[in-house]
Amino acid sequence: MVIVFRASRNTKTASDYYAGGRAFTGPQNGIAIAGDYLSAASFLGIAGAIAVYGYDGFLYSIGFLVAWLVALLLVAELLRNTGKYTMGDVLSFRMKERPVRTAASLSTLAVTFFYLLAQMAGAGGLVALLLGITNKTGQAAVIFVVGALMIVYVLVGGMKGTTWVQIIKAVLLIAGAFVMTVWVLAMYGFNFSGLLGAAADVAGDKVLNPGAQYGKTEISKLDFVSLGIALVLGTAGLPHVLMRFYTVPTAKEARRSVVWAIWLIGLFYLFTLVLGYGAGALVGSDVIKKAPGGVNSAAPLLALEIGGPLLLGFISAVAFATILAVVAGLTITASASFAHDIYANVIKKGKVDDKGQEVKVARITAVVIGIVSILGGIAANGQNIAFLVALAFAVAASANLPTLLYSLFWKRFNTNGALWSIYGGLAVTIVLIVISPAVSGAEDSMFPSLDFALFPLKNPGLVSIPVSFLLGYLGTVLSKDSADKAKQAEMEVRSLTGAGAEKAVSH
């Protein structure tokens, strides 16, 4: 909070509030991106998935990491050069501004909501474990406190405060995971094979082979393919990750920041392999499943097992900071999208005072989003957060990525195609999620007592992503509108060279 208050002194204009005045270096922004990306799902959810399911759980780590190559090669630099504050800036560059900005903002809010659900559910489970709060009312109170803290972060610090929180949290998280990884490996004489053997002795050989989670039926194998596609393609469409590229002064720094992020994230996901199997070997999957936070309790329980209450306290504090920082980043993205795209450019048609009114609207939006995410988090409490985040990735990959790629690379793409792609992808994904076993009809569903699961896959990516690409194509081809060739040429030059892009602002 001290850091957030210090950062807030320089938050005066919309550029300060949304993009931190474009004053962060590549390495600083890379660490902040790692902080944004290494959410509660990465730390608590993946470690738990590996502890319980072994090989299949590690596939989350692989998917999340490989996804960065898509972001680096296709999106990072081009987006930084073309946009200003939000994804809507890029999508509306050569389209009819008002309908496209509205669509981009709605899709940003949808992705953010699913992601916020995961973080809030993680907060409930973590504090339940730490304080021994097992009743749902107590956990709901905890989620409320997390949400309130997050709202304060965003209201006071803007993007500058949020970025510094991300940087500190990323350093703490990677350091904490490193200490635990070395500790666990030391217990097995730094022999990773010995650790795997110990995990197999406790849980059986199934944790070393594919299929413990996704290999039981043909449908579950398809579900795994669907999950993998959503993870790999989703990152390049995540609004809170895309917004990070605007906080650096040049395209070169945008590239540097992604390279830094890839190294840090890759290192962390190697740690999760040791932490997951370590928890499986030393704590046991049965104990983890019965803990108050369920599968998400693996890393804190491992910390308690090897280092006692002191290490548990530190790791839980880091996980809590992780949740707060990621939630703050998500909230500022959603509030910026609404205030900049819908309020400033759709309602006010671009005639808005840069310094005051737009930022005021963004702050009001942050409060509303905070309240909605608190209510959603209470409903989703107890779900595996790595899985909830995978749903957010499916929405991002279906609603955002096809439109972004078409806008950047297809000359003929027009407003109609963008609207078909965003609204169609969003509608298909959300409908498939609602009628999937993720929501009802299975023991681990959000509403296990109900059954309206008509779609067999838990993650809809396998169907929704191709459908969204197809809708974008059909919307463009069937439309009588022709693309704006002059604007398309300007966008191409600007995205590839950075000519005319937003520059850093010094104060």
Side-chain angles (χ1 to χ4, degrees), residues 240-263:
H240 69 293
V241 171
L242 299 178
M243 197 168 169
R244 281 249 147 259
F245 299 131
Y246 299 128
T247 63
V248 289
T250 62
K252 182 183 175 188
E253 292 298 311
R255 283 198 305 276
R256 281 183 74 200
S257 60
V258 179
V259 172
W260 268 78
I262 286 175
W263 277 105

Side-chain angles (χ1 to χ4, degrees), residues 13 21 29 86 198 371 408-409 452 455 458:
T13 65
N29 194 46
T86 66
I371 293 166
L408 290 167
F409 299 108
F452 44 87
F455 180 68
K458 285 187 173 183

Side-chain angles (χ1 to χ4, degrees), residues 333-346:
T333 302
S335 65
S337 180
F338 181 84
H340 181 66
D341 289 328
I342 291 183
Y343 174 76
N345 287 290
V346 175

Side-chain angles (χ1 to χ4, degrees), residues 222 227 388 423:
L222 271 179
L227 172 77
L388 284 173
Y423 285 131

Side-chain angles (χ1 to χ4, degrees), residues 22-27 29-30 33 71-83 242 244-260 408 491-504:
R22 306 186 203 282
F24 290 96
T25 64
N29 194 46
I33 289 174
L72 174 63
L73 295 172
L74 295 179
V75 174
E77 182 184 347
L78 305 177
L79 197 81
R80 157 74 195 61
N81 289 343
T82 314
L242 299 178
R244 281 249 147 259
F245 299 131
Y246 299 128
T247 63
V248 289
T250 62
K252 182 183 175 188
E253 292 298 311
R255 283 198 305 276
R256 281 183 74 200
S257 60
V258 179
V259 172
W260 268 78
L408 290 167
M491 184 174 181
E492 190 170 4
V493 170
R494 183 159 152 177
S495 66
L496 293 172
T497 66
E502 289 290 313
K503 293 288 188 288

Side-chain angles (χ1 to χ4, degrees), residues 127-354:
V127 180
L129 178 72
L130 197 60
L131 304 179
I133 301 170
T134 51
N135 65 323
K136 292 289 181 187
T137 312
Q139 292 179 11
V142 167
I143 291 171
F144 175 78
V145 171
V146 172
L149 258 176
M150 165 268 289
I151 292 168
V152 174
Y153 271 172
V154 174
L155 290 184
V156 174
M159 181 56 97
K160 230 172 227 178
T162 302
T163 301
W164 280 112
V165 168
Q166 302 284 24
I167 290 170
I168 291 161
K169 170 233 126 164
V171 171
L172 283 173
L173 180 61
I174 292 168
F178 173 72
V179 167
M180 282 178 68
T181 299
V182 172
W183 201 322
V184 169
L185 285 174
M187 293 174 78
Y188 293 94
F190 292 97
N191 181 349
F192 185 60
S193 183
L195 170 62
L196 294 180
D201 289 342
V202 173
D205 285 346
K206 68 177 189 294
V207 294
L208 302 182
N209 299 316
Q213 186 177 11
Y214 290 109
K216 292 166 187 167
T217 62
E218 290 305 312
I219 288 292
S220 66
K221 288 175 185 173
L222 271 179
D223 221 343
F224 160 64
V225 174
S226 190
L227 172 77
I229 292 171
L231 294 182
V232 170
L233 297 179
T235 298
L238 285 177
H240 69 293
V241 171
L242 299 178
M243 197 168 169
R244 281 249 147 259
F245 299 131
Y246 299 128
T247 63
V248 289
T250 62
K252 182 183 175 188
E253 292 298 311
R255 283 198 305 276
R256 281 183 74 200
S257 60
V258 179
V259 172
W260 268 78
I262 286 175
W263 277 105
L264 291 170
I265 291 164
L267 194 62
F268 180 82
Y269 282 141
L270 287 176
F271 295 159
T272 61
L273 189 61
V274 176
L275 297 181
Y277 276 116
L282 296 166
V283 180
S285 59
D286 291 339
V287 177
I288 292 166
K289 285 179 189 170
K290 288 173 187 168
V295 176
N296 307 324
S297 306
L301 285 172
L302 176 64
L304 180 64
E305 181 70 29
I306 63 175
L310 200 65
L311 187 60
L312 170 65
F314 175 73
I315 292 302
S316 299
V318 168
F320 203 69
T322 294
I323 291 164
L324 275 177
V326 172
V327 163
L330 286 163
T331 307
I332 197 165
T333 302
S335 65
S337 180
F338 181 84
H340 181 66
D341 289 328
I342 291 183
Y343 174 76
N345 287 290
V346 175
I347 297 171
K348 290 285 187 179
K349 301 180 185 176
K351 295 167 187 166
V352 67
D353 169 25
D354 183 45

